[in-house]
């Protein structure tokens, strides 16, 4: 009663006076309060209803004045099937007939209004040259829509429904094998890669089908993995070649696995299946007709195993006869003895046969660094045809490949990390084997199936164990059972089952073990560890303090690198870097060292942001990055030497935040030029959450010249936008892309193009203006909810492994509001996703 009386005091004065005058006794107070509450409720109901009617009428008028001219039933129904333009096609695909929608009752069709919010978010509607409401009305209408849809969502909660069977994608399979068996192998050749969905993520259960051909590949992969894990003797020697890219510049120490004072070469990790003898062959880089580069002078090459020196090979300066003229080897013959010697050396390479213990080993091949500077006029770096043809006899030699053949002889299975992980017991007699096998398989099944296991689970594996034991003994039995486990649906799929008693279309909390799997595949792209499973079994994982502590623990675990590789790699297109080859004639300075540095910079930057729990706004505003000497040279940052990456503070407006990263600029360009469209589309899709419609078919190629004159990108795009149908989408994309034109197709800063100063200014349809990457950065930072909301959408889509629907958007906005109270820190956003209803709950089938 005291609480009610206190709240009454805060009501409008006339109403409060009436109520207080009636509070004579507790009985009178209760009687009067009930009466007055009824009166107040009626008054408030009519007041709210009246206010709601006013808002609805105002919003209806706004829609009729600015939107319905295009988004109406008559226009959509009258779209011609022949001769229709792009604008009408987009209207039809969008399906917005706002004249028939009831703006006073958003609950009737919330999906339509969420589409409207997305268009309002980036200000693309109304389109250019159409009347627009003033900014106050525009923003007010959007805010009202969001608030009203959030209110509707509280009355009609819907956590969505994930697929009951969610297959592990290629990366998740690799990481799950690694953590289950302590066996890190390359599965690219074993199972097929997975295609991403329309939002760029390859862990969407809807697209992770399992064809008969894929089943065969998974069976083959399980056999191969089980053989390697238990140390089964290979059927014969195999050859694995590790090639070094021709365009990798080998003028410095290239790996932490190579010794200090080394130059060039490579270090590779190879899994040796058993103890035995292996042949290692190192070949040097040659020109296109196999003449070794750098052979005119004497050199040395060092070979190492796990950092231990194996051998030093001396070569060079001893070729007999008369060499071919400089840079003409293969076109003009040298003397016969010189030709024969050089060709034989190239074929032979450097070879060693030696005993190697089973398990993962690092093979290194490198050269002692020779401290000298080239004399004379420095020649430009070779590229393209010239790089392939010229033999460079007086240059430094480079490693071309490392080839490993074996085992040539077998000494035993060895003591590998995977054998130690699997064989947690060793039977001393045949009588002890069944109990030991059960112990091993119970442990593997619990981790592999990611849940508690019962007798039927173990008995199914024991059947395969018994068969293998008859054929080859105890370890062969374990191998057979492991193969069975790795092709089990319980391992290949994340399975979520509806409760038997749940009504169709009802909501329920997923089980503790299902929550543990969602957590681990979100943050690690791998299976849950024992700590997570134990908490899930006890029912403690869902407790707020426990869950938060686990999230923090998981984000600092080394396995969180899977989050950077998979979520960040797909969100920021880092996975695409390896498939982009800039035109050598336009960008002769590009090399594989730069490609590697681009990727490493962004991965280290995001990793630091997350581990240090910075605000997401720092993704755009950070004044630091990570560089080595090669990247610093590209960015014109002085004073950085060596191949080690270090954190540097940036000065000026050229770098800083994601827009200054060469990786982002390269993956949003074409091989021969920049693309304002690709860059603008990237920002709209991945940073602002307002993707443009798909382009129509048969879009003509961009004209980059006119009357023999090379056009600036702005001039070329202006010609492209002369088509009114193209203008609608490009009105938002192009200005954003133009603001990044100071970065060329490989992210190098420039101030001129085609002999003209670059104009990096932009004007959006909503009237916002900006200039250059700094201006775009400031524009996005002025709208932190939109930017953080877009990242949150991406995170939730990745975490759930499904597309987001209209009913998920109120949850996204709630996460952003909560994160805003903590400066939009990564921990707040990630924990918000994990604590959300879509992550912790599920809807049954209708």
């Amino acid at each position: 009663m005291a609480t009610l009386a206190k709240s009454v005091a805060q009501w409008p004065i006339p109403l409060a006076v009436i109520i207080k005058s009636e509070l004579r006794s507790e009985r009178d107070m209760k009687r009067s309060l009930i009466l007055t509450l009824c009166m107040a409720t009626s008054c408030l109901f009519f007041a709210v209803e009246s206010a709601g009617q006013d808002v609805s009428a105002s919003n209806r008028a706004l829609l009729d004045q600015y939107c319905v001219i295009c988004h109406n039933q008559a226009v959509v129904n009258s779209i011609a099937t022949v001769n229709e333009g792009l604008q009408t096609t987009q209207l039809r695909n969008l399906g917005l007939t706002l004249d028939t929608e009831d703006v006073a009752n958003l609950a009737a069709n919330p999906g339509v209004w969420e589409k409207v919010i997305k268009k309002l978010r980036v200000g693309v509607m109304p389109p250019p040259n159409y009347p627009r409401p003033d900014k106050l009305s525009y923003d007010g209408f959007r805010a009202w829509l969001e608030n009203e849809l959030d209110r509707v969502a509280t009355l009609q909660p819907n956590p969505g429904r994930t697929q009951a069977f969610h297959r592990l994608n290629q990366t998740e399979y690799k990481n799950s094998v690694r953590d289950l068996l302590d066996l890190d192998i390359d599965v690219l050749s074993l199972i097929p890669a997975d295609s991403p969905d329309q939002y760029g993520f390859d862990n969407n259960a809807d697209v992770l089908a399992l064809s008969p051909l894929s089943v065969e590949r998974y069976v083959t992969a399980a056999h191969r993995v089980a053989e390697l894990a238990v140390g089964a003797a290979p059927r014969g020697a195999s050859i694995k070649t590790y090639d070094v890219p021709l365009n990798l510049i080998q003028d410095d120490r290239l790996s932490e696995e190579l010794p200090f004072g080394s130059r060039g070469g490579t270090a590779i990790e190879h899994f040796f299946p058993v103890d035995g003898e292996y042949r290692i062959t190192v070949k040097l880089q040659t020109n296109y007709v196999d003449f070794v580069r750098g052979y005119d002078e004497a050199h040395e090459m060092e070979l190492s195993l796990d950092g231990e020196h194996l051998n030093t090979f001396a070569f060079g300066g001893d070729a007999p006869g008369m060499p071919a003229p400089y840079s003409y080897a293969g076109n003009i013959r040298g003397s016969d003895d010189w030709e024969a010697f050089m060709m034989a050396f190239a074929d032979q390479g450097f070879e060693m046969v030696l005993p190697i213990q089973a398990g993962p080993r690092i093979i290194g091949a490198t050269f002692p660094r020779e401290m000298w500077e080239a004399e004379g006029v420095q020649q430009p770096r070779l590229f393209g045809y010239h790089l392939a043809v010229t033999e460079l006899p007086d240059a430094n030699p480079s490693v071309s490949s490392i080839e490993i053949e074996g085992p040539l002889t077998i000494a035993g299975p060895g003591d590998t990390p995977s054998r130690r992980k699997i064989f947690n017991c060793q039977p001393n007699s045949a009588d002890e084997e069944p109990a030991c096998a059960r112990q091993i398989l119970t442990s593997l099944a619990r981790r592999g199936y990611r849940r508690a296991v019962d007798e039927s689970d173990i008995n199914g594996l024991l059947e395969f164990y018994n068969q293998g034991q008859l054929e080859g003994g105890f370890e062969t039995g374990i191998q057979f059972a492991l193969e069975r486990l790795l092709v089990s649906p319980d391992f290949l799929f994340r399975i979520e089952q509806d409760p038997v008693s749940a009504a169709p279309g009802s909501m329920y909390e997923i089980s503790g073990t299902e929550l543990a799997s969602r957590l681990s595949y979100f943050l690690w792209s791998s299976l849950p560890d024992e700590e997570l499973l134990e908490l899930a079994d006890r029912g403690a994982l869902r407790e707020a303090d426990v869950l938060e502590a686990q999230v923090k623990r998981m984000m600092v675990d080394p396995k969180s690198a899977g989050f950077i590789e998979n979520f960040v790699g797909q969100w920021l297109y880092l996975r695409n870097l390896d498939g982009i080859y800039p035109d050598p004639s336009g960008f002769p300075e590009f090399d594989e060292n730069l490609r590697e540095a681009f990727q490493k910079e962004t991965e280290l930057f995001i990793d630091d942001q997350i581990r240090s729990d910075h605000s997401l706004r720092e993704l755009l505003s950070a004044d630091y990055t990570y560089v080595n000497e090669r990247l610093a040279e590209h960015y014109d940052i002085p004073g950085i030497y060596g191949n080690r990456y270090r954190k540097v503070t940036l000065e000026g407006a050229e770098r800083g935040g994601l827009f200054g990263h060469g990786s982002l600029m390269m993956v949003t360009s074409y091989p021969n030029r920049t693309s304002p469209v690709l860059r603008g589309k990237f920002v709209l899709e991945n940073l602002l959450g307002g993707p443009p419609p798909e382009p129509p078919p048969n879009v003509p190629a961009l004209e980059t010249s006119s009357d023999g004159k090379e056009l600036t990108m702005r001039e070329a795009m202006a010609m492209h936008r002369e088509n009114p149908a193209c203008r609608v989408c490009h009105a938002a994309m192009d200005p954003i892309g133009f603001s990044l034109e100071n970065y060329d197709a490989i992210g190098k800063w420039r101030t001129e193009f085609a002999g003209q100063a670059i104009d990096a200014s932009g004007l959006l349809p909503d009237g916002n203006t900006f200039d250059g990457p700094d201006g775009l950065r400031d524009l996005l930072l002025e709208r932190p909810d939109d930017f953080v909301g877009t990242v949150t959408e991406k995170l939730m889509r990745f975490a759930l492994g499904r597309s987001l629907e209209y009913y998920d958007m109120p949850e996204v906005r709630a996460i952003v509001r909560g994160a805003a109270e903590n400066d939009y820190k990564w921990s707040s956003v990630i924990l918000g996703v994990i604590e959300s209803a879509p992550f912790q709950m599920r809807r049954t089938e209708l």
Side-chain angles (χ1 to χ4, degrees):
M1 293 301 297
T3 302
L4 284 172
K6 181 179 179 182
S7 65
V8 164
Q10 299 173 351
W11 289 5
I13 292 177
L15 194 58
V17 170
I18 294 172
I19 294 173
K20 287 181 178 179
S21 66
E22 299 293 329
L23 299 181
R24 306 300 183 200
S25 66
E26 184 173 345
R27 179 180 299 174
D28 291 340
M29 183 173 70
K30 289 181 180 178
R31 186 184 303 115
S32 299
L33 187 57
I34 292 172
L35 176 64
T36 309
L37 282 173
C38 293
M39 294 170 54
T41 301
S42 300
C43 295
L44 290 172
F45 172 79
F46 288 117
V48 169
E49 183 180 41
S50 175
Q53 290 173 349
D54 291 342
V55 171
S56 297
S58 174
N59 289 335
R60 181 75 265 169
L62 184 146
L63 290 171
D64 290 342
Q65 182 177 356
Y66 298 107
C67 307
V68 169
I69 187 173
C70 293
H71 296 283
N72 62 77
Q73 192 71 31
V75 168
V76 173
N77 288 341
S78 65
I79 292 175
T81 57
V82 182
N83 225 358
E84 66 179 17
L86 174 61
Q87 284 177 289
T88 51
T89 303
Q90 291 170 350
L91 285 172
R92 181 191 62 198
N93 293 339
L94 198 58
L96 295 181
T97 54
L98 299 182
D99 59 328
T100 60
E101 295 294 336
D102 185 1
V103 73
N105 183 20
L106 302 190
N109 200 352
V112 164
W113 300 108
E114 289 291 354
K115 290 180 180 179
V116 171
I117 288 174
K118 277 193 177 293
K119 294 299 177 183
L120 297 178
R121 180 188 294 179
V122 292
V124 296
M125 289 294 163
N129 302 325
Y130 280 73
R132 299 177 66 89
D134 61 80
K135 180 173 175 54
L136 186 63
S137 301
Y138 196 99
D139 293 344
F141 179 54
R142 175 191 162 185
W144 179 84
L145 282 178
E146 290 178 344
N147 292 334
E148 187 65 12
L149 286 170
D150 292 347
R151 184 189 66 80
V152 168
T154 61
L155 302 176
Q156 302 174 356
N158 185 352
R161 178 174 177 80
T162 53
Q163 291 282 3
F165 288 84
H166 187 158
R167 178 172 65 80
L168 303 185
N169 65 18
Q170 188 186 67
T171 302
E172 292 168 340
Y173 180 90
K174 176 182 184 295
N175 292 345
S176 297
V177 167
R178 178 200 65 201
D179 294 336
L180 176 65
L181 304 174
D182 208 351
L183 180 66
D184 195 0
I185 63 170
D186 182 8
V187 300
L188 296 180
S189 60
L190 299 178
I191 60 175
D194 302 292
S195 300
D197 63 9
Q198 61 178 318
Y199 302 103
F201 294 109
D202 64 2
N203 69 335
N204 187 329
D206 293 333
V207 299
L208 289 172
L210 193 62
S211 67
L213 179 60
S214 297
V215 172
E216 292 182 11
R217 297 282 294 275
Y218 276 100
V219 171
T220 303
H223 178 69
R224 178 62 176 158
V225 168
E227 280 188 330
L228 292 173
V230 302
R235 295 175 179 83
S238 61
I239 298 177
K240 173 73 172 179
T241 301
Y242 299 88
D243 292 314
V244 180
L246 178 65
N247 203 27
L248 180 74
I249 307 302
Q250 299 185 33
D251 59 1
D252 201 353
R253 180 175 180 240
L254 294 182
S255 170
E256 295 296 321
E257 303 294 344
L258 295 174
F260 289 106
S262 65
R263 177 199 61 77
T266 188
I268 55 96
E269 182 177 292
H270 180 80
F271 188 87
F272 293 86
V274 292
D275 288 354
E277 282 193 330
Y278 295 84
R279 177 180 289 110
I280 300 175
T281 304
V282 181
K283 293 189 176 182
L284 300 181
Q285 195 179 95
T286 67
N287 72 342
Y288 78 114
V289 286
D290 289 338
F291 287 98
V292 173
R293 291 182 165 134
Y295 203 86
D296 275 10
E297 301 292 334
H299 301 282
E300 291 182 343
M301 191 207 72
E302 297 177 351
L303 189 65
S304 62
L305 173 66
D306 290 337
E308 296 292 328
H309 179 263
L310 292 178
N311 202 354
T312 297
F313 299 92
F315 66 98
D318 58 350
M322 177 66 70
Y326 186 91
S327 81
Y328 282 93
N331 295 300
I332 299 177
R333 284 183 61 84
S335 63
D336 290 345
D337 53 350
W338 183 86
E339 293 273 346
F341 178 89
M342 293 298 291
M343 296 297 287
F345 180 77
D347 289 338
Q348 180 181 359
F350 303 109
E351 181 181 298
M352 278 193 73
V353 175
L354 68 158
I356 298 178
Q357 293 182 338
R361 300 280 181 256
I362 302 293
I363 304 295
T366 187
F367 309 92
R369 185 167 186 175
E370 298 163 325
M371 303 302 292
W372 54 270
E373 290 290 337
E375 296 179 347
V377 178
Q378 296 296 301
Q379 300 300 307
R381 181 183 297 175
L382 297 179
F383 63 89
Y385 171 80
H386 306 287
L387 180 60
V389 169
T390 306
E391 79 276 19
L392 300 172
D394 58 349
N396 280 323
S398 300
V399 171
S400 174
S401 66
I402 296 180
E403 180 182 283
I404 299 175
E405 180 184 1
L408 306 177
T409 62
I410 299 176
D415 182 25
T416 64
S418 57
R419 284 180 58 82
R420 292 194 293 271
K421 186 95 168 185
I422 293 170
F423 296 105
N424 54 23
C425 63
Q426 284 290 344
N428 296 315
S429 66
D431 293 339
E432 295 180 1
E433 288 182 356
C436 182
R438 176 176 288 273
Q439 178 179 328
I440 289 171
L441 297 179
T442 300
S443 174
L444 289 174
R446 171 173 166 77
R447 289 291 314 282
Y449 295 164
R450 305 174 286 275
R451 58 171 174 79
V453 293
D454 54 29
E455 280 298 307
S456 64
D457 295 314
I458 305 306
N459 289 337
L461 296 176
L462 284 173
E463 290 180 13
F464 284 80
Y465 161 78
N466 291 330
Q467 181 182 346
Q469 197 275 339
L470 291 174
E471 292 187 18
F474 176 75
E475 292 195 359
T476 303
I478 297 297
Q479 177 191 328
F480 276 36
L482 181 55
E483 288 183 38
R484 173 63 181 86
L485 185 152
L486 292 174
V487 295
S488 168
D490 290 282
F491 177 76
L492 290 179
F493 293 86
R494 293 159 54 192
I495 301 173
E496 297 182 345
Q497 295 180 323
D498 293 341
V500 176
S501 59
S506 62
M507 300 185 306
Y508 68 92
E509 286 186 338
I510 61 175
S511 70
T513 52
E514 290 168 349
L515 179 60
S517 281
R518 284 196 180 187
L519 263 177
S520 64
Y521 282 100
F522 174 32
L523 300 180
W524 288 344
S525 292
S526 185
L527 45 75
D529 62 6
E530 186 59 35
E531 184 171 339
L532 275 177
L533 290 175
E534 192 272 332
L535 287 170
D537 289 345
R538 288 197 290 109
L541 186 56
R542 207 180 295 276
E543 296 174 10
D545 292 345
V546 173
L547 185 62
E548 183 175 354
Q550 286 300 305
V551 171
K552 290 180 178 178
R553 175 183 74 88
M554 295 173 73
M555 290 308 298
V556 298
D557 189 283
K559 286 184 286 190
S560 65
F563 179 81
I564 303 296
E565 177 187 348
N566 298 306
F567 171 70
V568 177
Q570 295 180 87
W571 169 44
L572 298 181
Y573 299 175
L574 292 183
R575 282 190 178 183
N576 300 352
L577 270 175
D578 285 344
I580 298 175
Y581 294 90
D583 182 5
S585 61
F587 305 99
E589 70 272 32
F590 182 80
D591 50 48
E592 293 301 316
N593 312 64
L594 192 57
R595 185 197 305 276
E596 178 184 307
F598 281 164
Q599 177 136 357
K600 196 71 174 176
E601 173 195 23
T602 304
E603 288 177 348
L604 290 172
F605 174 74
I606 300 290
D607 183 70
D608 178 72
Q609 288 280 309
I610 295 174
R611 289 180 183 273
S612 301
D613 199 18
H614 291 296
S615 168
L616 264 72
R617 293 186 295 185
E618 275 200 27
L619 289 173
L620 303 176
S621 64
D623 63 350
Y624 71 91
T625 191
Y626 288 83
V627 297
N628 63 357
E629 182 177 351
R630 178 67 189 93
L631 189 58
E633 175 191 341
H634 188 68
Y635 287 170
D636 293 324
I637 300 175
I640 305 296
Y641 303 100
N643 202 48
R644 179 180 62 86
Y645 291 88
R646 72 228 54 186
K647 187 175 182 179
V648 296
T649 302
L650 301 167
E651 298 179 0
E654 297 180 8
R655 302 292 164 186
L658 286 176
F659 291 143
H661 284 214
S663 61
L664 188 57
M665 295 300 104
M666 185 164 137
V667 296
T668 54
S669 296
Y670 291 115
N672 61 335
R673 63 171 176 84
T674 60
S675 173
V677 174
L678 292 181
R679 290 177 176 177
K681 183 173 182 287
F682 174 87
V683 172
L684 289 175
E685 282 186 345
N686 295 286
L687 304 181
L688 277 176
E694 289 297 317
N698 304 318
V699 176
L702 187 69
E703 297 291 340
T704 57
S705 62
S706 177
D707 297 328
K709 174 192 173 185
E710 186 177 15
L711 300 174
T712 66
M713 193 54 62
R714 187 177 289 271
E715 290 170 336
M717 293 305 302
M719 291 178 61
H720 185 71
R721 288 196 306 274
E722 288 179 359
N723 184 341
C726 300
R727 191 178 305 141
V728 177
C729 298
H730 285 276
M733 286 190 296
D734 292 1
I736 293 173
F738 287 142
S739 71
L740 301 172
E741 269 297 285
N742 285 113
Y743 301 110
D744 68 12
I746 59 171
K748 193 168 184 64
W749 184 264
R750 60 185 181 175
T751 57
E752 293 185 354
F753 180 71
Q756 299 184 42
I758 288 176
D759 180 2
S761 62
L763 171 64
L764 291 177
D766 62 2
N768 276 306
T769 60
F770 50 93
D771 192 358
D774 258 4
L776 177 60
R777 185 181 300 118
D778 292 342
L779 180 68
L780 293 178
L781 291 175
E782 289 172 2
R783 311 159 64 168
D785 282 2
D786 292 341
F787 169 59
V788 177
T790 302
V791 180
T792 304
E793 285 183 40
K794 299 288 182 180
L795 282 166
M796 183 170 283
R797 188 175 284 118
F798 179 78
L800 298 177
R802 66 168 173 84
S803 300
L804 295 192
E805 305 296 339
Y806 68 88
Y807 44 76
D808 297 307
M809 303 316 297
E811 285 285 351
V812 171
R813 289 189 285 268
I815 293 169
V816 174
R817 286 194 295 269
E821 298 175 0
N822 195 27
D823 194 28
Y824 303 102
K825 289 186 176 179
W826 275 99
S827 59
S828 299
V829 177
I830 290 175
L831 191 61
V833 169
I834 291 168
E835 291 176 337
S836 69
F839 192 87
Q840 299 216 9
M841 302 184 72
R842 191 165 178 259
R843 190 189 69 238
T844 60
E845 282 192 297
L846 296 172

